[in-house]
């Protein structure tokens, strides 16, 4: 797709679960390649990052850690990501570490969760905490 607008992003964002891994990566890369062009349109820029973070989450749930890491690296090269987006990326990196058996991921995730709780974002806190607990239960059952 040559041009990504709000409607294309909405369709992609609401259809993430139906795409296979290769399609998700290809569409995400196309979407990110348009991100620098959309800086002025902050609503669309924010939507792009929201969709890409959801794709990363979907890849992690599918246990496609290399693909999720690749997309994280691609997302990090953009200089206009917000502090919240950077923190969410660190959370996903922590989740990937936990899934690879690295205990250091726990600290990254708990820091993010403490931050969410501190800023008073209860809904996001509960959802990310549930995701974190599910990953820990499956990949590190000895951790409480």
């Amino acid at each position: 797709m040559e041009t990504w607008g709000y409607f294309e992003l909405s369709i992609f964002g609401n259809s993430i679960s139906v795409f296979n891994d290769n399609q998700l990566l290809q569409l995400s890369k196309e979407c990110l390649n348009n991100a620098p062009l959309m800086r002025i349109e902050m609503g669309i820029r924010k939507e792009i990052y929201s969709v890409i973070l959801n794709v990363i989450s979907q890849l992690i749930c599918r246990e496609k850690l290399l693909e999720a890491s690749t997309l994280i690296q691609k997302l990090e090269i953009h200089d206009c990501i917000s502090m919240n987006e950077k923190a969410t990326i660190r959370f996903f990196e922590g989740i990937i570490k936990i899934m690879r058996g690295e205990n250091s991921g726990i600290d990254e995730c708990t820091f993010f969760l403490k931050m969410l709780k501190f800023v008073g974002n209860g809904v996001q806190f509960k959802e990310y905490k549930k995701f974190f607990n599910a990953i820990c239960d499956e990949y590190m059952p000895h951790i409480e």
Side-chain angles (χ1 to χ4, degrees):
M1 185 176 304
E2 287 185 31
T3 305
W4 285 76
Y6 180 78
F7 294 111
E8 291 82 5
L9 288 169
S10 294
I11 291 168
F12 179 43
N14 288 314
S15 305
I16 289 172
S17 63
V18 300
F19 292 111
N20 68 39
D21 304 332
N22 291 332
Q23 292 168 326
L24 274 179
L25 284 172
Q26 181 60 37
L27 289 168
S28 297
K29 288 175 183 177
E30 286 180 25
C31 184
L32 280 173
N33 286 339
N34 285 298
L37 304 174
M38 298 183 190
R39 271 188 216 187
I40 296 170
E41 300 178 47
M42 291 307 280
I44 291 177
R45 188 212 62 80
K46 186 176 180 179
E47 184 74 17
I48 288 171
Y49 290 106
S50 176
V51 167
I52 299 302
L53 290 171
N54 286 331
V55 169
I56 292 167
S57 174
Q58 185 69 227
L59 290 169
I60 289 171
C61 289
R62 295 178 185 182
E63 298 182 346
K64 300 295 182 181
L65 305 184
L66 180 62
E67 292 85 348
S69 294
T70 299
L71 200 48
I72 285 171
Q73 289 172 349
K74 203 143 174 56
L75 188 62
E76 287 179 320
I77 63 170
H78 293 274
D79 60 352
C80 55
I81 60 177
S82 71
M83 182 179 77
N84 184 47
E85 292 158 347
K86 285 179 186 178
T88 305
I89 288 169
R90 296 293 161 261
F91 175 79
F92 286 139
E93 288 176 329
I95 291 291
I96 290 169
K97 286 179 182 178
I98 291 169
M99 292 174 76
R100 290 180 175 155
E102 300 173 31
N103 288 336
S104 63
I106 295 167
D107 293 335
E108 292 176 41
C109 291
T110 54
F111 177 79
F112 173 75
L113 292 170
K114 286 177 186 177
M115 183 194 71
L116 277 181
K117 194 172 185 179
F118 178 76
V119 297
N121 196 333
V123 174
Q124 257 192 329
F125 171 77
K126 287 178 186 175
E127 289 302 311
Y128 281 106
K129 176 84 170 156
K130 186 167 74 172
F131 186 54
F132 172 70
N133 287 338
I135 294 294
C136 285
D137 288 346
E138 185 170 344
Y139 291 91
M140 299 185 135
H142 63 280
I143 297 171
E144 297 182 18

